[in-house]
Amino acid sequence: MAIVIKRVREAPEASDGVRILVDRLWPRGVSKERAELDDWAKDAAPSPGLRTEWHRADADRFDEFAARYRAELDANAAAQALLAVAREHDRVTLVYGARDAVHNHAAVLRDWLGEHGADVER
């Protein structure tokens, strides 16, 4: 099993495997057909309060956001469900809408999954 992340605006590829949107809100300007998703794990995304706070914060507070999101993931059944999906498939692509490819919740989620037994690609 391998978990990767990819922006929703990047073209889907056969090599993506199972494509799962991990945003709480649907990305603006992207149709469901164009996204070519297999699932939408919105409950694995940061809580509404944490998401709102992060979008208002400076990028230099990413470590604080990541720590708080990791704490949410530790108690999140949807994150555990993603681990189960990863065990069932050779490749899972976590799809996200953020512009920043480094400082985003999908990267934190990917790393959290890696710390809990999933094979991740960076």
Side-chain angles (χ1 to χ4, degrees):
M1 74 180 147
I3 295 187
V4 297
I5 61 173
K6 187 174 191 176
R7 288 194 68 220
V8 71
R9 286 173 172 62
E10 293 179 52
E13 299 172 316
S15 63
D16 289 343
V18 176
R19 291 173 51 87
I20 303 173
L21 179 66
V22 292
D23 284 349
R24 189 162 296 277
L25 303 175
W26 189 265
R28 289 185 194 160
V30 177
S31 70
K32 291 183 179 182
E33 294 77 25
R34 182 173 155 224
E36 294 185 34
L37 298 171
D38 296 295
D39 199 3
W40 183 7
K42 60 178 124 183
D43 291 334
S47 65
L50 182 56
R51 183 186 64 79
T52 301
E53 186 177 316
W54 165 241
H55 286 293
R56 290 183 188 157
D58 296 327
D60 62 345
R61 294 184 56 200
F62 181 73
D63 290 339
E64 177 185 337
F65 162 77
R68 290 184 56 203
Y69 181 36
R70 285 175 185 276
E72 287 186 357
L73 290 170
D74 287 338
N76 188 327
Q80 294 297 326
L82 284 175
L83 270 175
V85 169
R87 289 183 183 110
E88 295 173 8
H89 300 279
D90 291 334
R91 189 170 184 90
V92 175
T93 299
L94 305 178
V95 180
Y96 65 95
R99 290 185 183 113
D100 189 328
V102 176
H103 301 99
N104 65 67
H105 72 283
V108 176
L109 177 56
R110 176 202 55 209
D111 293 346
W112 183 90
L113 291 167
E115 293 163 6
H116 290 81
D119 180 25
V120 299
E121 291 182 19
R122 294 175 212 273

